[in-house]
Amino acid sequence: MKSSAIEDDLGSDIHVPADIDWHMLDKSKFFFLGAALFSGVSAGLYPAMLLKTRQQVSSTQISCFKMSFSIMRCEGLRGFYRGFGTTLMGTIPARALYMGALEVTKTSVGSSTVRLGFSDTTATAIASAAAGLSSAMAAQLVWTPIDVVSQRLMVQAPNASPCRYKNGLDAFRKILFADGLKGLYRGFGISMLTYAPSNAVWWASYSVANKLIYGGLGWSDNIRRYESKATAVAVQGLSAAMASGVSALITTPLDTIKTRLQVLDKEENGVRKPLTMLQTVRNLVKESGLAACYRGLGPRWASMSLSATTMITTYELLKRLSAKNQESLTS
């Protein structure tokens, strides 16, 4: 079907801009709906994150199936949501920082690269990479302390006596008392090293994949104004899946080291002390060689793919729901 015919057939549908920029958004609706939508997504994906974390800190290789069965038998369904309350509390401010930095950077860098004479595809890729980098750096200011607390709750034995941490608040207080503020930001450097470049690559890959898919379909931005929700979700999901696979493979060793730095300690003369990065790497290699760095790759890959697909479709839906009406944009 030709482009003009498609536009005529879909002309009665709601007109939505193909790319919704920061200035087109109702900010209060954007952040309020975002907190609600992403909290729901986090709840669905949390069990996979818990499995990944337990595999990464385990001294032996345990399959996802065995670990899931053990958790269900010993802890019940609640076992898959250890530390979720803490994570949920951090989701709202972290996502607000993430989405705000993402959209502001994408809009400002995108307009600058176009003025410099870059093609639309190249400008979009550069803007998305810069936005991914800045948003990850902003969000880590909140996520690192939340990660440290929630991951310790994730790996804590269910019936440990005495119980090391009663809940998230108790863990926060004890870590702060024992190690100070730096204890809550343990692994901050490697978190930046893991997530900032990964985020930059993911968003750049996603934007390019998105444009390539639409280009392959022969759809211009003008036609995309009339696309069905099903088409939009399918293209976004496919683009997200394409962008997430390689990212998981590249960053899993760094994520394993980060998790162990944040969770595990060493004992010297009866005193618990944090491990250094070199000690963490040595311990991993001693346990199972370089393969130990890829512990948790299965659930992390699944989690990242599901998360990427779900998050991006939710995110694009959020932007459409939060877009100001066309009259207010033109007035």
Side-chain angles (χ1 to χ4, degrees):
M1 186 180 288
K2 294 182 178 179
S3 295
S4 58
I6 295 174
E7 291 183 39
D8 289 340
D9 286 348
L10 299 176
S12 60
D13 285 0
I14 297 173
H15 294 207
V16 178
D19 292 304
I20 302 171
D21 292 326
W22 181 247
H23 70 278
M24 300 177 182
L25 296 172
D26 180 328
K27 309 303 186 297
S28 58
K29 188 186 290 185
F30 180 67
F31 287 119
F32 179 77
L33 288 175
L37 287 171
F38 284 115
S39 294
V41 170
S42 297
L45 298 173
Y46 193 80
M49 295 302 296
L50 182 134
L51 287 172
K52 177 215 65 144
T53 301
R54 289 199 179 187
Q55 281 191 328
Q56 287 177 335
V57 300
S58 173
S59 58
T60 57
Q61 182 67 43
I62 305 173
S63 70
C64 288
F65 177 77
K66 283 185 178 179
M67 187 170 284
S68 299
F69 181 77
S70 175
I71 292 171
M72 182 60 76
R73 185 185 62 187
C74 300
E75 305 173 51
L77 189 60
R78 289 181 59 188
F80 289 98
Y81 284 90
R82 278 187 177 276
F84 179 64
T86 302
T87 299
L88 195 59
M89 285 176 62
T91 294
I92 296 173
R95 287 294 172 193
L97 281 171
Y98 185 94
M99 293 186 296
L102 184 75
E103 287 303 320
V104 170
T105 307
K106 192 189 294 184
T107 300
S108 58
V109 175
S111 57
S112 299
T113 49
V114 168
R115 284 197 298 270
L116 289 172
F118 288 97
S119 67
D120 186 47
T121 301
T122 303
T124 301
I126 293 172
S128 297
L133 190 67
S134 67
S135 59
M137 292 174 69
Q140 280 307 311
L141 293 172
V142 176
W143 271 128
T144 299
I146 294 299
D147 257 355
V148 170
V149 173
S150 64
Q151 286 175 348
R152 293 194 182 199
L153 291 172
M154 284 181 189
V155 301
Q156 182 172 254
N159 297 312
S161 182
C163 184
R164 190 174 179 193
Y165 303 120
K166 296 176 182 177
N167 50 48
L169 190 60
D170 182 55
F172 180 88
R173 183 179 59 79
K174 286 180 178 176
I175 294 168
L176 195 61
F177 179 77
D179 302 319
L181 192 61
K182 68 178 183 180
L184 291 170
Y185 279 91
R186 192 190 288 189
F188 180 71
I190 197 168
S191 292
M192 285 289 195
L193 194 63
T194 302
Y195 294 124
S198 172
N199 230 33
V201 170
W202 192 94
W203 277 104
S205 302
Y206 171 78
S207 66
V208 171
N210 199 268
K211 285 190 174 291
L212 287 175
I213 292 170
Y214 278 118
L217 293 172
W219 284 29
S220 66
D221 281 353
N222 195 39
I223 298 173
R224 285 177 58 195
R225 296 172 187 270
Y226 309 99
E227 68 180 340
S228 67
K229 289 181 181 178
T231 301
V233 169
V235 173
Q236 290 157 9
L238 181 58
S239 301
M242 290 169 66
S244 62
V246 175
S247 180
L249 193 62
I250 292 171
T251 59
T252 292
L254 287 172
D255 188 61
T256 302
I257 295 168
K258 174 194 75 72
T259 301
R260 287 195 163 212
L261 277 172
Q262 292 176 332
V263 173
L264 300 181
D265 294 315
K266 63 178 180 179
E267 281 201 17
E268 287 186 2
N269 301 321
V271 179
R272 301 180 72 93
K273 293 184 178 179
L275 291 164
T276 64
M277 189 182 299
L278 186 59
Q279 288 170 332
T280 302
V281 174
R282 280 177 179 167
N283 290 344
L284 273 169
V285 174
K286 189 186 295 184
E287 286 171 13
S288 303
L290 290 176
C293 295
Y294 281 92
R295 281 200 186 132
L297 176 62
R300 186 165 191 261
W301 191 304
S303 174
M304 280 192 73
S305 297
L306 282 170
S307 176
T309 305
T310 309
M311 290 289 186
I312 198 62
T313 50
T314 303
Y315 184 69
E316 296 290 356
L317 170 64
L318 171 63
K319 287 173 69 175
R320 289 174 181 245
L321 290 174
S322 305
K324 298 173 183 176
N325 58 49
Q326 297 300 300
E327 289 77 9
S328 65
L329 287 174
T330 55
S331 59

